[in-house]
Amino acid sequence: MNALVQTNTKTVATQAVAVSATEAKQYLTFMLGGEMFSLGILCIKEIIWYANLTEVPMMPACIRGVINLRGAVVPVLDLSNRFGKPSTPVVKSSCIVIVEVPTAVEGEHQSMGIVVDSVQAVLEIPTTEIEPAPSFGAKIRSEFIEGIAKVDGKFVILLDVGKVLSMQEIGQMGQAGQVAALVPQEMA
Protein backbone atom coordinates (compact mmCIF):
# COMPACT_ATOMS: atom_id res chain seq x y z
CA MET A 1 0.00 0.00 0.00
CA ASN A 2 2.84 2.43 0.84
CA ALA A 3 4.49 1.75 -2.51
CA LEU A 4 1.26 2.68 -4.27
CA VAL A 5 0.92 5.93 -2.35
CA GLN A 6 4.52 6.90 -3.07
CA THR A 7 4.06 6.23 -6.78
CA ASN A 8 0.93 8.39 -6.88
CA THR A 9 2.71 11.20 -5.00
CA LYS A 10 5.58 11.10 -7.50
CA THR A 11 3.11 11.19 -10.40
CA VAL A 12 1.31 14.20 -8.91
CA ALA A 13 4.63 15.97 -8.27
CA THR A 14 5.76 15.28 -11.86
CA GLN A 15 2.49 16.67 -13.21
CA ALA A 16 2.85 19.79 -11.03
CA VAL A 17 6.37 20.41 -12.36
CA ALA A 18 5.15 19.99 -15.95
CA VAL A 19 2.33 22.49 -15.38
CA SER A 20 4.63 25.07 -13.74
CA ALA A 21 7.18 24.72 -16.58
CA THR A 22 4.56 25.84 -19.11
CA GLU A 23 2.94 28.39 -16.82
CA ALA A 24 2.77 31.96 -18.08
CA LYS A 25 3.37 35.03 -15.93
CA GLN A 26 2.01 38.49 -16.62
CA TYR A 27 4.38 41.43 -17.08
CA LEU A 28 3.79 45.14 -17.58
CA THR A 29 6.02 46.31 -20.43
CA PHE A 30 7.30 49.86 -20.73
CA MET A 31 9.78 51.88 -22.74
CA LEU A 32 12.82 53.51 -21.22
CA GLY A 33 15.47 55.15 -23.39
CA GLY A 34 14.33 53.29 -26.50
CA GLU A 35 14.49 49.85 -24.85
CA MET A 36 11.62 47.68 -23.64
CA PHE A 37 11.61 46.57 -20.02
CA SER A 38 9.03 44.82 -17.89
CA LEU A 39 8.03 44.20 -14.31
CA GLY A 40 5.94 41.35 -12.92
CA ILE A 41 2.35 42.56 -12.70
CA LEU A 42 1.93 41.33 -9.11
CA CYS A 43 4.20 44.08 -7.71
CA ILE A 44 2.41 46.91 -9.55
CA LYS A 45 -0.23 48.94 -7.73
CA GLU A 46 -1.12 51.51 -10.37
CA ILE A 47 0.06 53.73 -13.21
CA ILE A 48 -0.34 57.52 -13.14
CA TRP A 49 0.63 60.38 -15.45
CA TYR A 50 3.81 62.23 -14.52
CA ALA A 51 2.76 65.32 -12.51
CA ASN A 52 3.09 67.18 -9.20
CA LEU A 53 6.54 65.94 -8.24
CA THR A 54 8.23 67.62 -5.27
CA GLU A 55 12.03 67.58 -5.29
CA VAL A 56 13.72 66.69 -2.01
CA PRO A 57 17.25 67.98 -1.29
CA MET A 58 20.12 65.66 -0.32
CA MET A 59 18.64 62.63 -2.08
CA PRO A 60 20.55 60.20 -4.31
CA ALA A 61 20.63 61.33 -7.95
CA CYS A 62 18.29 58.51 -8.96
CA ILE A 63 15.49 59.81 -6.69
CA ARG A 64 13.51 62.43 -8.63
CA GLY A 65 11.45 63.47 -5.61
CA VAL A 66 8.18 62.51 -3.95
CA ILE A 67 4.50 62.59 -4.84
CA ASN A 68 1.38 62.71 -2.70
CA LEU A 69 -0.64 59.62 -3.57
CA ARG A 70 -3.96 59.83 -1.71
CA GLY A 71 -2.26 61.19 1.41
CA ALA A 72 0.79 58.90 1.29
CA VAL A 73 4.26 60.25 0.49
CA VAL A 74 5.71 58.08 -2.28
CA PRO A 75 9.34 58.42 -3.43
CA VAL A 76 9.80 58.51 -7.21
CA LEU A 77 12.88 56.92 -8.76
CA ASP A 78 14.38 57.77 -12.14
CA LEU A 79 14.97 54.25 -13.45
CA SER A 80 17.22 55.44 -16.27
CA ASN A 81 19.48 57.21 -13.75
CA ARG A 82 19.45 54.09 -11.55
CA PHE A 83 20.83 52.18 -14.52
CA GLY A 84 23.71 54.69 -14.83
CA LYS A 85 22.27 56.52 -17.83
CA PRO A 86 21.17 60.16 -18.18
CA SER A 87 17.91 61.12 -16.47
CA THR A 88 14.70 60.35 -18.30
CA PRO A 89 13.36 63.47 -20.02
CA VAL A 90 9.72 64.15 -19.19
CA VAL A 91 7.56 63.93 -22.29
CA LYS A 92 3.83 63.80 -22.97
CA SER A 93 3.72 60.00 -22.58
CA SER A 94 5.81 59.87 -19.36
CA CYS A 95 4.23 57.88 -16.55
CA ILE A 96 4.96 56.95 -12.99
CA VAL A 97 4.47 53.27 -12.28
CA ILE A 98 3.66 52.72 -8.59
CA VAL A 99 5.14 49.45 -7.34
CA GLU A 100 5.33 47.71 -3.98
CA VAL A 101 8.90 47.02 -2.93
CA PRO A 102 9.84 44.60 -0.14
CA THR A 103 11.54 46.27 2.84
CA ALA A 104 14.17 44.93 5.23
CA VAL A 105 11.35 44.03 7.66
CA GLU A 106 9.91 40.63 6.76
CA GLY A 107 6.48 40.87 5.14
CA GLU A 108 6.40 44.69 4.91
CA HIS A 109 6.29 46.64 1.65
CA GLN A 110 6.95 50.24 0.63
CA SER A 111 5.25 51.98 -2.27
CA MET A 112 7.65 53.55 -4.74
CA GLY A 113 7.16 55.21 -8.11
CA ILE A 114 9.37 54.75 -11.15
CA VAL A 115 9.50 57.17 -14.07
CA VAL A 116 9.16 55.53 -17.50
CA ASP A 117 8.97 56.99 -21.01
CA SER A 118 5.70 55.19 -21.77
CA VAL A 119 3.72 52.16 -20.69
CA GLN A 120 3.17 49.61 -23.47
CA ALA A 121 1.04 46.60 -22.52
CA VAL A 122 0.51 43.71 -20.16
CA LEU A 123 1.93 40.56 -21.70
CA GLU A 124 1.59 36.93 -20.72
CA ILE A 125 5.00 35.36 -21.16
CA PRO A 126 5.37 31.58 -20.76
CA THR A 127 8.20 30.68 -18.39
CA THR A 128 9.64 28.49 -21.16
CA GLU A 129 10.22 31.67 -23.23
CA ILE A 130 12.29 33.35 -20.50
CA GLU A 131 16.06 33.03 -20.67
CA PRO A 132 18.35 33.69 -17.68
CA ALA A 133 20.07 37.05 -17.35
CA PRO A 134 23.32 37.29 -19.33
CA SER A 135 26.48 37.60 -17.29
CA PHE A 136 27.84 40.25 -19.68
CA GLY A 137 26.77 42.47 -22.54
CA ALA A 138 23.70 44.02 -20.89
CA LYS A 139 23.59 47.79 -20.51
CA ILE A 140 22.46 47.44 -16.87
CA ARG A 141 23.76 45.46 -13.90
CA SER A 142 23.03 41.76 -14.41
CA GLU A 143 21.61 41.33 -10.89
CA PHE A 144 18.82 43.77 -11.86
CA ILE A 145 17.68 41.36 -14.58
CA GLU A 146 15.31 38.51 -13.73
CA GLY A 147 15.47 37.21 -17.29
CA ILE A 148 15.10 38.09 -20.95
CA ALA A 149 12.13 37.11 -23.10
CA LYS A 150 11.63 37.33 -26.83
CA VAL A 151 8.22 38.73 -27.72
CA ASP A 152 7.20 39.34 -31.34
CA GLY A 153 10.83 39.19 -32.45
CA LYS A 154 12.03 41.76 -29.88
CA PHE A 155 13.84 41.26 -26.60
CA VAL A 156 12.10 42.32 -23.38
CA ILE A 157 14.25 42.71 -20.27
CA LEU A 158 12.41 41.36 -17.22
CA LEU A 159 13.51 43.36 -14.17
CA ASP A 160 13.89 42.02 -10.63
CA VAL A 161 11.96 44.66 -8.68
CA GLY A 162 13.50 43.63 -5.35
CA LYS A 163 17.02 44.30 -6.62
CA VAL A 164 16.39 47.34 -8.84
CA LEU A 165 14.40 49.14 -6.16
CA SER A 166 16.30 47.86 -3.13
CA MET A 167 15.54 50.39 -0.40
CA GLN A 168 18.72 49.41 1.42
CA GLU A 169 20.99 50.02 -1.59
CA ILE A 170 19.29 53.31 -2.51
CA GLY A 171 19.63 54.43 1.12
CA GLN A 172 23.35 53.65 1.01
CA MET A 173 23.65 55.72 -2.18
CA GLY A 174 22.02 58.64 -0.36
CA GLN A 175 24.43 58.34 2.58
CA ALA A 176 27.41 58.22 0.23
CA GLY A 177 26.11 61.33 -1.55
CA GLN A 178 25.77 63.21 1.74
CA VAL A 179 29.32 62.29 2.77
CA ALA A 180 30.64 63.39 -0.63
CA ALA A 181 28.79 66.70 -0.28
CA LEU A 182 30.40 67.33 3.12
CA VAL A 183 33.99 66.49 2.17
CA PRO A 184 34.69 69.61 0.02
CA GLN A 185 33.29 71.89 2.76
CA GLU A 186 35.56 70.41 5.40
CA MET A 187 38.62 70.81 3.18
CA ALA A 188 37.94 74.53 2.59
Side-chain angles (χ1 to χ4, degrees):
M1 183 70 171
N2 279 344
L4 181 60
V5 171
Q6 289 175 350
T7 304
N8 286 342
T9 304
K10 288 179 183 175
T11 304
V12 170
T14 304
Q15 290 171 346
V17 168
V19 168
S20 68
T22 58
E23 186 178 295
K25 292 183 179 180
Q26 291 186 326
Y27 293 89
L28 174 74
T29 58
F30 56 89
M31 296 301 291
L32 187 66
E35 294 182 63
M36 188 176 290
F37 293 92
S38 67
L39 289 170
I41 199 80
L42 296 177
C43 69
I44 297 172
K45 287 178 69 174
E46 63 186 288
I47 302 164
I48 59 174
W49 292 111
Y50 186 97
N52 303 324
L53 189 80
T54 303
E55 290 186 24
V56 180
M58 304 291 289
M59 283 292 181
C62 65
I63 301 290
R64 276 262 175 108
V66 295
I67 57 170
N68 179 348
L69 187 65
R70 290 182 294 286
V73 176
V74 177
V76 177
L77 181 118
D78 185 328
L79 200 54
S80 185
N81 191 285
R82 176 79 168 118
F83 293 159
K85 298 178 181 181
S87 290
T88 304
V90 178
V91 294
K92 189 177 179 180
S93 61
S94 293
C95 295
I96 299 174
V97 179
I98 308 296
V99 297
E100 283 197 341
V101 183
T103 63
V105 178
E106 185 70 31
E108 288 189 18
H109 291 82
Q110 156 106 29
S111 290
M112 181 172 248
I114 56 172
V115 178
V116 300
D117 294 341
S118 64
V119 170
Q120 298 298 297
V122 174
L123 300 177
E124 257 189 48
I125 303 174
T127 53
T128 56
E129 295 295 315
I130 299 172
E131 298 292 327
S135 58
F136 63 90
K139 295 179 182 176
I140 62 174
R141 289 176 23 195
S142 61
E143 65 263 23
F144 288 172
I145 303 173
E146 183 180 304
I148 297 181
K150 193 169 187 179
V151 178
D152 297 328
K154 296 180 181 178
F155 286 113
V156 178
I157 300 171
L158 313 177
L159 298 175
D160 182 336
V161 72
K163 301 245 172 72
V164 173
L165 304 178
S166 165
M167 297 301 292
Q168 185 176 10
E169 188 173 329
I170 292 169
Q172 290 171 349
M173 290 167 51
Q175 290 173 350
Q178 289 174 354
V179 169
L182 294 175
V183 170
Q185 293 174 354
E186 291 173 1
M187 297 176 80

